[in-house]
PDB file of all heavy atoms in Angstrom:
ATOM      1  N   GLY A  14      64.057 118.804  58.312  1.00 68.00           N
ATOM      2  CA  GLY A  14      64.953 119.838  58.789  1.00 68.00           C
ATOM      3  C   GLY A  14      64.755 121.161  58.069  1.00 68.00           C
ATOM      4  O   GLY A  14      64.958 122.219  58.636  1.00 68.00           O
ATOM      5  N   ASN A  15      64.336 121.119  56.813  1.00 76.00           N
ATOM      6  CA  ASN A  15      64.195 122.333  56.013  1.00 76.00           C
ATOM      7  C   ASN A  15      62.768 122.604  55.548  1.00 76.00           C
ATOM      8  O   ASN A  15      62.498 123.685  55.036  1.00 76.00           O
ATOM      9  CB  ASN A  15      65.095 122.250  54.789  1.00 76.00           C
ATOM     10  CG  ASN A  15      66.550 122.179  55.168  1.00 76.00           C
ATOM     11  OD1 ASN A  15      66.987 122.868  56.062  1.00 76.00           O
ATOM     12  ND2 ASN A  15      67.295 121.330  54.502  1.00 76.00           N
ATOM     13  N   TYR A  16      61.891 121.644  55.656  1.00 82.00           N
ATOM     14  CA  TYR A  16      60.541 121.773  55.112  1.00 82.00           C
ATOM     15  C   TYR A  16      59.490 121.482  56.168  1.00 82.00           C
ATOM     16  O   TYR A  16      59.754 120.790  57.153  1.00 82.00           O
ATOM     17  CB  TYR A  16      60.357 120.822  53.914  1.00 82.00           C
ATOM     18  CG  TYR A  16      61.204 121.231  52.743  1.00 82.00           C
ATOM     19  CD1 TYR A  16      62.473 120.701  52.558  1.00 82.00           C
ATOM     20  CD2 TYR A  16      60.760 122.176  51.834  1.00 82.00           C
ATOM     21  CE1 TYR A  16      63.268 121.097  51.498  1.00 82.00           C
ATOM     22  CE2 TYR A  16      61.539 122.587  50.774  1.00 82.00           C
ATOM     23  CZ  TYR A  16      62.795 122.050  50.614  1.00 82.00           C
ATOM     24  OH  TYR A  16      63.571 122.456  49.572  1.00 82.00           O
ATOM     25  N   SER A  17      58.287 121.980  55.933  1.00 81.00           N
ATOM     26  CA  SER A  17      57.183 121.725  56.852  1.00 81.00           C
ATOM     27  C   SER A  17      56.825 120.242  56.814  1.00 81.00           C
ATOM     28  O   SER A  17      57.209 119.513  55.894  1.00 81.00           O
ATOM     29  CB  SER A  17      55.961 122.549  56.437  1.00 81.00           C
ATOM     30  OG  SER A  17      55.452 122.066  55.196  1.00 81.00           O
ATOM     31  N   MET A  18      56.068 119.803  57.797  1.00 77.00           N
ATOM     32  CA  MET A  18      55.636 118.411  57.857  1.00 77.00           C
ATOM     33  C   MET A  18      54.864 118.045  56.589  1.00 77.00           C
ATOM     34  O   MET A  18      55.079 116.986  56.007  1.00 77.00           O
ATOM     35  CB  MET A  18      54.771 118.186  59.092  1.00 77.00           C
ATOM     36  CG  MET A  18      54.283 116.759  59.229  1.00 77.00           C
ATOM     37  SD  MET A  18      55.603 115.653  59.700  1.00 77.00           S
ATOM     38  CE  MET A  18      55.381 115.662  61.448  1.00 77.00           C
ATOM     39  N   ARG A  19      53.991 118.927  56.136  1.00 82.00           N
ATOM     40  CA  ARG A  19      53.191 118.666  54.934  1.00 82.00           C
ATOM     41  C   ARG A  19      54.086 118.523  53.704  1.00 82.00           C
ATOM     42  O   ARG A  19      53.941 117.588  52.933  1.00 82.00           O
ATOM     43  CB  ARG A  19      52.180 119.791  54.725  1.00 82.00           C
ATOM     44  CG  ARG A  19      51.405 119.662  53.438  1.00 82.00           C
ATOM     45  CD  ARG A  19      50.475 120.798  53.138  1.00 82.00           C
ATOM     46  NE  ARG A  19      50.695 121.971  53.972  1.00 82.00           N
ATOM     47  CZ  ARG A  19      49.820 122.909  54.179  1.00 82.00           C
ATOM     48  NH1 ARG A  19      48.640 122.857  53.634  1.00 82.00           N
ATOM     49  NH2 ARG A  19      50.095 123.940  54.938  1.00 82.00           N
ATOM     50  N   ASN A  20      55.025 119.455  53.521  1.00 86.00           N
ATOM     51  CA  ASN A  20      55.897 119.389  52.355  1.00 86.00           C
ATOM     52  C   ASN A  20      56.857 118.206  52.436  1.00 86.00           C
ATOM     53  O   ASN A  20      57.160 117.580  51.420  1.00 86.00           O
ATOM     54  CB  ASN A  20      56.649 120.702  52.162  1.00 86.00           C
ATOM     55  CG  ASN A  20      55.783 121.754  51.514  1.00 86.00           C
ATOM     56  OD1 ASN A  20      54.822 121.448  50.818  1.00 86.00           O
ATOM     57  ND2 ASN A  20      56.117 123.007  51.743  1.00 86.00           N
ATOM     58  N   ALA A  21      57.334 117.879  53.630  1.00 83.00           N
ATOM     59  CA  ALA A  21      58.192 116.704  53.781  1.00 83.00           C
ATOM     60  C   ALA A  21      57.431 115.439  53.391  1.00 83.00           C
ATOM     61  O   ALA A  21      57.976 114.560  52.726  1.00 83.00           O
ATOM     62  CB  ALA A  21      58.705 116.600  55.213  1.00 83.00           C
ATOM     63  N   ALA A  22      56.164 115.354  53.779  1.00 80.00           N
ATOM     64  CA  ALA A  22      55.347 114.195  53.412  1.00 80.00           C
ATOM     65  C   ALA A  22      55.129 114.147  51.900  1.00 80.00           C
ATOM     66  O   ALA A  22      55.165 113.073  51.292  1.00 80.00           O
ATOM     67  CB  ALA A  22      54.009 114.239  54.144  1.00 80.00           C
ATOM     68  N   LEU A  23      54.911 115.309  51.279  1.00 85.00           N
ATOM     69  CA  LEU A  23      54.753 115.353  49.824  1.00 85.00           C
ATOM     70  C   LEU A  23      56.031 114.907  49.120  1.00 85.00           C
ATOM     71  O   LEU A  23      55.989 114.130  48.157  1.00 85.00           O
ATOM     72  CB  LEU A  23      54.383 116.771  49.366  1.00 85.00           C
ATOM     73  CG  LEU A  23      52.957 117.222  49.643  1.00 85.00           C
ATOM     74  CD1 LEU A  23      52.813 118.717  49.360  1.00 85.00           C
ATOM     75  CD2 LEU A  23      51.975 116.425  48.806  1.00 85.00           C
ATOM     76  N   ILE A  24      57.170 115.381  49.598  1.00 86.00           N
ATOM     77  CA  ILE A  24      58.456 114.988  49.009  1.00 86.00           C
ATOM     78  C   ILE A  24      58.662 113.492  49.162  1.00 86.00           C
ATOM     79  O   ILE A  24      59.021 112.787  48.217  1.00 86.00           O
ATOM     80  CB  ILE A  24      59.614 115.778  49.650  1.00 86.00           C
ATOM     81  CG1 ILE A  24      59.525 117.251  49.248  1.00 86.00           C
ATOM     82  CG2 ILE A  24      60.962 115.191  49.257  1.00 86.00           C
ATOM     83  CD1 ILE A  24      60.419 118.166  50.075  1.00 86.00           C
ATOM     84  N   TRP A  25      58.421 112.990  50.355  1.00 81.00           N
ATOM     85  CA  TRP A  25      58.638 111.572  50.647  1.00 81.00           C
ATOM     86  C   TRP A  25      57.711 110.698  49.812  1.00 81.00           C
ATOM     87  O   TRP A  25      58.122 109.643  49.330  1.00 81.00           O
ATOM     88  CB  TRP A  25      58.429 111.333  52.131  1.00 81.00           C
ATOM     89  CG  TRP A  25      58.833 109.982  52.616  1.00 81.00           C
ATOM     90  CD1 TRP A  25      59.911 109.247  52.220  1.00 81.00           C
ATOM     91  CD2 TRP A  25      58.178 109.200  53.603  1.00 81.00           C
ATOM     92  NE1 TRP A  25      59.965 108.066  52.906  1.00 81.00           N
ATOM     93  CE2 TRP A  25      58.909 108.011  53.765  1.00 81.00           C
ATOM     94  CE3 TRP A  25      57.046 109.407  54.384  1.00 81.00           C
ATOM     95  CZ2 TRP A  25      58.535 107.021  54.665  1.00 81.00           C
ATOM     96  CZ3 TRP A  25      56.691 108.413  55.289  1.00 81.00           C
ATOM     97  CH2 TRP A  25      57.418 107.245  55.420  1.00 81.00           C
ATOM     98  N   ALA A  26      56.471 111.125  49.618  1.00 84.00           N
ATOM     99  CA  ALA A  26      55.523 110.343  48.820  1.00 84.00           C
ATOM    100  C   ALA A  26      55.960 110.262  47.361  1.00 84.00           C
ATOM    101  O   ALA A  26      55.723 109.253  46.691  1.00 84.00           O
ATOM    102  CB  ALA A  26      54.129 110.964  48.908  1.00 84.00           C
ATOM    103  N   GLN A  27      56.616 111.307  46.865  1.00 88.00           N
ATOM    104  CA  GLN A  27      57.035 111.332  45.467  1.00 88.00           C
ATOM    105  C   GLN A  27      58.416 110.725  45.250  1.00 88.00           C
ATOM    106  O   GLN A  27      58.726 110.242  44.166  1.00 88.00           O
ATOM    107  CB  GLN A  27      57.047 112.776  44.957  1.00 88.00           C
ATOM    108  CG  GLN A  27      55.663 113.403  44.941  1.00 88.00           C
ATOM    109  CD  GLN A  27      55.742 114.887  44.696  1.00 88.00           C
ATOM    110  OE1 GLN A  27      55.927 115.312  43.568  1.00 88.00           O
ATOM    111  NE2 GLN A  27      55.628 115.672  45.760  1.00 88.00           N
ATOM    112  N   CYS A  28      59.256 110.766  46.284  1.00 87.00           N
ATOM    113  CA  CYS A  28      60.634 110.263  46.170  1.00 87.00           C
ATOM    114  C   CYS A  28      61.098 109.807  47.550  1.00 87.00           C
ATOM    115  O   CYS A  28      61.745 110.568  48.275  1.00 87.00           O
ATOM    116  CB  CYS A  28      61.542 111.361  45.614  1.00 87.00           C
ATOM    117  SG  CYS A  28      63.243 110.847  45.363  1.00 87.00           S
ATOM    118  N   PRO A  29      60.773 108.566  47.936  1.00 80.00           N
ATOM    119  CA  PRO A  29      61.108 108.094  49.283  1.00 80.00           C
ATOM    120  C   PRO A  29      62.605 108.114  49.598  1.00 80.00           C
ATOM    121  O   PRO A  29      62.990 108.145  50.757  1.00 80.00           O
ATOM    122  CB  PRO A  29      60.578 106.659  49.310  1.00 80.00           C
ATOM    123  CG  PRO A  29      59.575 106.592  48.215  1.00 80.00           C
ATOM    124  CD  PRO A  29      60.009 107.576  47.186  1.00 80.00           C
ATOM    125  N   ASP A  30      63.447 108.099  48.583  1.00 82.00           N
ATOM    126  CA  ASP A  30      64.893 108.097  48.801  1.00 82.00           C
ATOM    127  C   ASP A  30      65.495 109.497  48.849  1.00 82.00           C
ATOM    128  O   ASP A  30      66.710 109.638  48.885  1.00 82.00           O
ATOM    129  CB  ASP A  30      65.588 107.285  47.702  1.00 82.00           C
ATOM    130  CG  ASP A  30      65.161 105.823  47.717  1.00 82.00           C
ATOM    131  OD1 ASP A  30      64.865 105.308  48.815  1.00 82.00           O
ATOM    132  OD2 ASP A  30      65.112 105.204  46.646  1.00 82.00           O
ATOM    133  N   ALA A  31      64.666 110.537  48.823  1.00 84.00           N
ATOM    134  CA  ALA A  31      65.168 111.909  48.821  1.00 84.00           C
ATOM    135  C   ALA A  31      66.018 112.158  50.060  1.00 84.00           C
ATOM    136  O   ALA A  31      65.672 111.737  51.157  1.00 84.00           O
ATOM    137  CB  ALA A  31      64.013 112.897  48.762  1.00 84.00           C
ATOM    138  N   SER A  32      67.140 112.854  49.853  1.00 81.00           N
ATOM    139  CA  SER A  32      68.017 113.130  50.984  1.00 81.00           C
ATOM    140  C   SER A  32      68.322 114.619  51.127  1.00 81.00           C
ATOM    141  O   SER A  32      68.322 115.145  52.231  1.00 81.00           O
ATOM    142  CB  SER A  32      69.320 112.343  50.851  1.00 81.00           C
ATOM    143  OG  SER A  32      69.969 112.679  49.647  1.00 81.00           O
ATOM    144  N   ALA A  33      68.603 115.288  50.037  1.00 86.00           N
ATOM    145  CA  ALA A  33      68.866 116.729  50.054  1.00 86.00           C
ATOM    146  C   ALA A  33      68.030 117.335  48.935  1.00 86.00           C
ATOM    147  O   ALA A  33      68.205 117.005  47.775  1.00 86.00           O
ATOM    148  CB  ALA A  33      70.338 117.008  49.830  1.00 86.00           C
ATOM    149  N   VAL A  34      67.120 118.216  49.283  1.00 90.00           N
ATOM    150  CA  VAL A  34      66.156 118.754  48.331  1.00 90.00           C
ATOM    151  C   VAL A  34      66.288 120.273  48.276  1.00 90.00           C
ATOM    152  O   VAL A  34      66.437 120.919  49.307  1.00 90.00           O
ATOM    153  CB  VAL A  34      64.720 118.366  48.748  1.00 90.00           C
ATOM    154  CG1 VAL A  34      63.696 118.882  47.778  1.00 90.00           C
ATOM    155  CG2 VAL A  34      64.598 116.846  48.866  1.00 90.00           C
ATOM    156  N   ALA A  35      66.244 120.817  47.043  1.00 90.00           N
ATOM    157  CA  ALA A  35      66.301 122.269  46.861  1.00 90.00           C
ATOM    158  C   ALA A  35      65.668 122.624  45.530  1.00 90.00           C
ATOM    159  O   ALA A  35      65.449 121.753  44.672  1.00 90.00           O
ATOM    160  CB  ALA A  35      67.749 122.757  46.906  1.00 90.00           C
ATOM    161  N   GLY A  36      65.397 123.895  45.342  1.00 92.00           N
ATOM    162  CA  GLY A  36      64.837 124.378  44.096  1.00 92.00           C
ATOM    163  C   GLY A  36      65.898 124.450  42.998  1.00 92.00           C
ATOM    164  O   GLY A  36      67.104 124.363  43.245  1.00 92.00           O
ATOM    165  N   PHE A  37      65.430 124.639  41.763  1.00 94.00           N
ATOM    166  CA  PHE A  37      66.303 124.680  40.596  1.00 94.00           C
ATOM    167  C   PHE A  37      67.412 125.708  40.756  1.00 94.00           C
ATOM    168  O   PHE A  37      68.594 125.407  40.571  1.00 94.00           O
ATOM    169  CB  PHE A  37      65.452 124.995  39.354  1.00 94.00           C
ATOM    170  CG  PHE A  37      66.217 124.977  38.072  1.00 94.00           C
ATOM    171  CD1 PHE A  37      66.401 123.793  37.386  1.00 94.00           C
ATOM    172  CD2 PHE A  37      66.758 126.142  37.558  1.00 94.00           C
ATOM    173  CE1 PHE A  37      67.116 123.767  36.202  1.00 94.00           C
ATOM    174  CE2 PHE A  37      67.469 126.127  36.366  1.00 94.00           C
ATOM    175  CZ  PHE A  37      67.639 124.940  35.687  1.00 94.00           C
ATOM    176  N   HIS A  38      67.060 126.928  41.113  1.00 94.00           N
ATOM    177  CA  HIS A  38      68.048 128.002  41.227  1.00 94.00           C
ATOM    178  C   HIS A  38      68.965 127.806  42.433  1.00 94.00           C
ATOM    179  O   HIS A  38      70.142 128.183  42.384  1.00 94.00           O
ATOM    180  CB  HIS A  38      67.361 129.361  41.269  1.00 94.00           C
ATOM    181  CG  HIS A  38      66.643 129.676  39.995  1.00 94.00           C
ATOM    182  ND1 HIS A  38      67.288 129.935  38.814  1.00 94.00           N
ATOM    183  CD2 HIS A  38      65.315 129.737  39.699  1.00 94.00           C
ATOM    184  CE1 HIS A  38      66.407 130.153  37.853  1.00 94.00           C
ATOM    185  NE2 HIS A  38      65.193 130.026  38.378  1.00 94.00           N
ATOM    186  N   ASP A  39      68.436 127.216  43.506  1.00 91.00           N
ATOM    187  CA  ASP A  39      69.280 126.936  44.672  1.00 91.00           C
ATOM    188  C   ASP A  39      70.363 125.923  44.318  1.00 91.00           C
ATOM    189  O   ASP A  39      71.495 126.028  44.791  1.00 91.00           O
ATOM    190  CB  ASP A  39      68.442 126.436  45.844  1.00 91.00           C
ATOM    191  CG  ASP A  39      67.551 127.516  46.415  1.00 91.00           C
ATOM    192  OD1 ASP A  39      67.926 128.701  46.328  1.00 91.00           O
ATOM    193  OD2 ASP A  39      66.472 127.185  46.947  1.00 91.00           O
TER     194      ASP A  39
END
């Protein structure tokens, strides 16, 4: 919903349980 297909795949590969993702300052 918030990230490109490539970045979503990278997030999922590193943390399959990720649900809400944001940067440090966000």
Side-chain angles (χ1 to χ4, degrees):
N15 297 319
Y16 293 93
S17 68
M18 180 72 94
R19 175 184 13 201
N20 281 336
L23 286 170
I24 292 167
W25 190 38
Q27 296 169 78
C28 182
D30 297 328
S32 58
V34 181
F37 184 86
H38 295 291
D39 291 331

